[in-house]
Amino acid sequence: MRLRVRWQTVSFVSWSILAMIGGVRADDRPNIVLIMADDLGYSDLGCFGGEIATPNLDRLAAAGLRFSQFYNTSRCCPTRASLMTGLYPHRAGVGRMTFDAGQPGYRGTLRDDTVTIAEVLGSSGYQTMMVGKWHLSLTPDGPRNAEWVGHRLDLGPFSDPATYPVNRGFDAHFGTIWGVVDYFDPFSLVRGTEPVEAVPGGFYYTDAINDEAARMIAQADDDRPFFLYVAHTAPHWPLHAPPEDIDRYADTYADGWDALRDSRYRRMIDLGLIDPETAPLPPRVQPDRSWDENPHQPWEARAMAVHAAMVDRMDRGIGRILDALGEQGRLEDTLILFLSDNGASPEVPGRPGFDRPSHTRDGREVVYTTEKEVLPGPETTFAGIGPMWANAVNTPLRRWKAETFEGGICTPLIAHWPAGLGVEGGTITAQPGHVIDVMATCVDLAGASYPTTFEGRAIAPMEGLSLVPILRGGHREGHDVLYWEHFGSRALRRGGWKLIAPSGRPWQLYNLAEDRTETVDRAVERPDLVAELSALYDAWAARDLVEPTPE
């Protein structure tokens, strides 16, 4: 009979002792595969209402648990900082981007008083592996500028290698250090700490990430559990995808933004993800813009087709990860978590820069399609889907990446764990969670101890709470309050109430229990609650290094 213990109360050493006296093997602890998409729309996946073909993620949802109110920090690198450390991003050192702004909460890389999931689980006997986008090392704003050609001729370190994944607890890493990539020839690609000097013909970064993840699973030690972090860049701009994938969606978006919002909204209602009584579809951004009068319909439909192709390709590669787990007999005892780092992006990259090439390696000019003169998709273009599609793929939520409305901070989360979930497959939970909870969940399941010191450094207390009670089918006593700040956009959530101040604007107040999509501002009728919640925000900002903000 298997001995059952409270996971969170035993260290790896204690677990090993229990194994010897109780017949439990240390390798009975679950493997953990954490998969993160980049700039994914809230309703992009089929299991969240989308029309994009995502059969592998859909089957994980059908046999697993979906969270309808799980939160990120609204942008790539701050979310990754919180995900890896269990701390709010400013407390982890990455309150904005990967540039050192000279303030404690804005150092642009993980602070010395942080510890990563890989460091904690590795100390508890786990194998720790990572593929894909790191985006937690300083990005030098230096000599790589708009005019370079052959962008790997200067192959020095892309940042301080001491901040790379293999020096923050991961046994192995293959992927990119910086945030933006050419999918066919990614800049800042490394294996360990060594720059990758060339990629083979036919290379596509999304495929490489998934194939490398499958290889790591196949080569993992059978005697020990593993933690594998799969950090995709898809579908972050630039819009790059193989032509055959784009062709699958050539006619899908010809009816425009409003048709997409309406169809996704209806599917989300049918799936039980939203209740139209408490989540009305809000007016879209720029309501005066008409698809019928849009002179760039072919370009816009193509841009969304490339976005869909990027998500489709990612899903197919995730299928190969699932196959690898199955072939190794490890699918049943592996917790798979899939989420996104933020909502869809309205960004339109306008020109070459430090991480955006002016030419391909073989000298072809890269066109930044701000005038929509060239169709997106090939390596010679840099484009994003823009605000209209970003609003649509975040259906039914307001706004998008980098903002603290729900469309920026709410991520689709899928949990799949055949041997451990205590809920019926296909269940949807509305219990709120946050990326700071992932560290606590991993520590809980690994029977690990979150340290007060690590390698001689004092470590900040973990701020997340384990999701295991929810995964087991129970109710979790969650966070009293959740907080956000990014480039001046502020928010907090307490119970069903959300206080939000878009950058430079007054506080707004929404009752999410009755108004999930933030359509009716209650601030004027509840000034007492605004004052009470804003005082909580101010105290958090002072405590968690949000203040002082950079100039």
Side-chain angles (χ1 to χ4, degrees):
M1 180 177 176
R2 186 170 184 170
L3 181 64
R4 297 190 180 275
V5 297
R6 289 178 60 85
W7 292 95
Q8 65 268 36
T9 62
V10 290
S11 66
F12 177 59
V13 173
S14 301
W15 184 264
S16 300
I17 294 171
L18 286 168
M20 290 187 287
I21 65 175
V24 179
R25 299 191 315 275
D27 64 6
D28 280 345
R29 296 176 297 167
N31 309 303
I32 301 169
V33 176
L34 176 60
I35 306 175
M36 175 169 277
D38 196 340
D39 293 4
L40 185 76
Y42 182 72
S43 59
D44 269 335
L45 306 182
C47 54
F48 275 80
E51 71 296 325
I52 302 171
T54 55
N56 294 295
L57 290 168
D58 294 351
R59 71 180 171 107
L60 292 181
L65 175 66
R66 277 167 290 173
F67 287 70
S68 63
Q69 299 190 48
F70 196 82
Y71 288 105
N72 54 63
T73 74
S74 89
R75 202 171 202 140
C76 309
C77 38
T79 290
R80 284 164 169 75
S82 287
L83 183 77
M84 283 291 99
T85 65
L87 304 171
Y88 282 106
H90 311 77
R91 193 66 190 78
V94 191
R96 289 189 178 176
M97 305 299 292
T98 51
F99 299 97
D100 189 348
Q103 299 291 358
Y106 304 88
R107 303 314 301 261
T109 189
L110 298 180
R111 290 167 47 94
D112 290 340
D113 59 354
T114 64
V115 65
T116 68
I117 296 174
E119 287 169 329
V120 176
L121 266 59
S123 299
S124 295
Y126 268 67
Q127 303 166 82
T128 57
M129 306 169 288
M130 178 184 171
V131 289
K133 174 177 171 176
W134 179 235
H135 210 194
L136 291 174
S137 298
L138 280 174
T139 307
D141 190 10
R144 300 180 179 90
N145 57 40
E147 301 305 322
W148 41 248
V149 178
H151 56 279
R152 287 221 199 79
L153 298 180
D154 175 18
L155 280 174
F158 301 112
S159 190
D160 180 2
T163 66
Y164 287 13
V166 292
N167 288 315
R168 290 305 310 249
F170 287 97
D171 300 329
H173 170 240
F174 171 80
T176 44
I177 297 300
W178 294 7
V180 176
V181 301
D182 170 342
Y183 283 79
F184 300 101
D185 188 10
F187 186 59
S188 80
L189 186 65
V190 301
R191 186 174 293 280
T193 59
E194 294 300 316
V196 175
E197 298 190 13
V199 295
F203 181 94
Y204 186 66
Y205 190 36
T206 301
D207 288 343
I209 289 172
N210 288 318
D211 291 343
E212 183 74 8
R215 185 192 66 79
M216 287 180 171
I217 291 168
Q219 295 182 357
D221 183 349
D222 290 337
D223 295 331
R224 292 191 294 148
F226 62 77
F227 170 69
L228 172 61
Y229 175 32
V230 183
H232 277 284
T233 53
H236 190 294
W237 54 268
L239 295 171
H240 284 172
E244 63 272 19
D245 291 349
I246 301 171
D247 289 345
R248 298 181 68 186
Y249 298 93
D251 301 319
T252 304
Y253 303 103
D255 292 336
W257 314 295
D258 292 331
L260 183 66
R261 292 184 84 220
D262 291 343
S263 63
R264 287 193 177 189
Y265 186 67
R266 289 194 301 271
R267 280 194 295 271
M268 296 180 86
I269 294 170
D270 292 342
L271 290 169
L273 283 160
I274 58 170
D275 179 350
E277 295 298 318
T278 58
L281 187 62
R284 65 163 164 82
V285 295
Q286 302 178 31
D288 294 335
R289 285 190 64 180
S290 166
W291 177 261
D292 291 339
E293 297 175 3
N294 176 14
H296 302 294
Q297 281 189 17
W299 192 97
E300 296 281 4
R302 167 74 171 220
M304 187 58 208
V306 182
H307 174 91
M310 296 168 78
V311 176
D312 184 317
R313 191 81 169 201
M314 177 180 64
D315 179 86
R316 278 183 276 160
I318 289 171
R320 296 194 293 278
I321 294 175
L322 302 182
D323 290 344
L325 288 168
E327 290 164 3
Q328 299 299 312
R330 304 185 89 153
L331 185 58
E332 291 290 310
D333 63 351
T334 296
L335 170 63
I336 300 172
L337 296 174
F338 175 90
L339 71 162
S340 179
D341 60 354
N342 45 250
S345 170
E347 297 161 300
V348 179
R351 57 184 176 81
F354 63 91
D355 60 356
R356 300 163 210 177
S358 57
H359 295 74
T360 63
R361 187 200 297 265
D362 58 8
R364 291 170 293 153
E365 182 180 4
V366 174
V367 177
Y368 286 73
T369 60
T370 54
E371 302 301 320
K372 302 178 181 177
E373 69 277 28
V374 178
L375 291 177
E379 185 183 8
T380 51
T381 63
F382 255 57
I385 58 173
M388 304 303 290
W389 287 124
N391 182 209
V393 301
N394 281 334
T395 298
L397 306 179
R398 282 188 67 182
R399 305 294 286 185
W400 41 56
K401 172 182 178 178
E403 297 191 22
T404 50
F405 285 106
E406 296 289 282
I409 62 175
C410 196
T411 176
L413 174 66
I414 302 168
H416 180 272
W417 183 19
L421 283 184
V423 299
E424 183 179 351
T427 296
I428 298 169
T429 179
Q431 294 187 61
H434 192 284
V435 289
I436 59 176
D437 297 337
V438 175
M439 165 71 90
T441 304
C442 292
V443 169
D444 192 349
L445 293 175
S449 296
Y450 183 87
T452 56
T453 62
F454 186 81
E455 296 182 348
R457 311 187 312 270
I459 299 300
M462 179 168 57
E463 296 180 296
L465 300 172
S466 176
L467 298 168
V468 170
I470 303 175
L471 301 181
R472 298 294 194 193
H475 177 78
R476 181 184 76 160
E477 290 299 323
H479 299 273
D480 293 333
V481 188
L482 290 169
Y483 300 94
W484 293 267
E485 189 280 335
H486 189 61
F487 280 94
S489 187
R490 302 168 291 161
L492 67 78
R493 174 173 173 165
R494 187 180 72 178
W497 288 101
K498 182 178 176 185
L499 188 70
I500 175 172
S503 185
R505 294 166 62 187
W507 288 113
Q508 301 172 24
L509 181 67
Y510 297 96
N511 184 347
L512 297 184
E514 301 175 357
D515 180 19
R516 177 80 178 88
T517 47
E518 302 169 303
T519 61
V520 181
D521 181 5
R522 307 285 187 181
V524 172
E525 64 189 67
R526 292 297 307 273
D528 57 330
L529 187 55
V530 171
E532 179 184 350
L533 296 180
S534 63
L536 290 177
Y537 176 88
D538 291 341
W540 168 75
R543 181 175 68 248
D544 256 7
L545 308 180
V546 178
E547 303 291 347
T549 58
E551 290 293 332

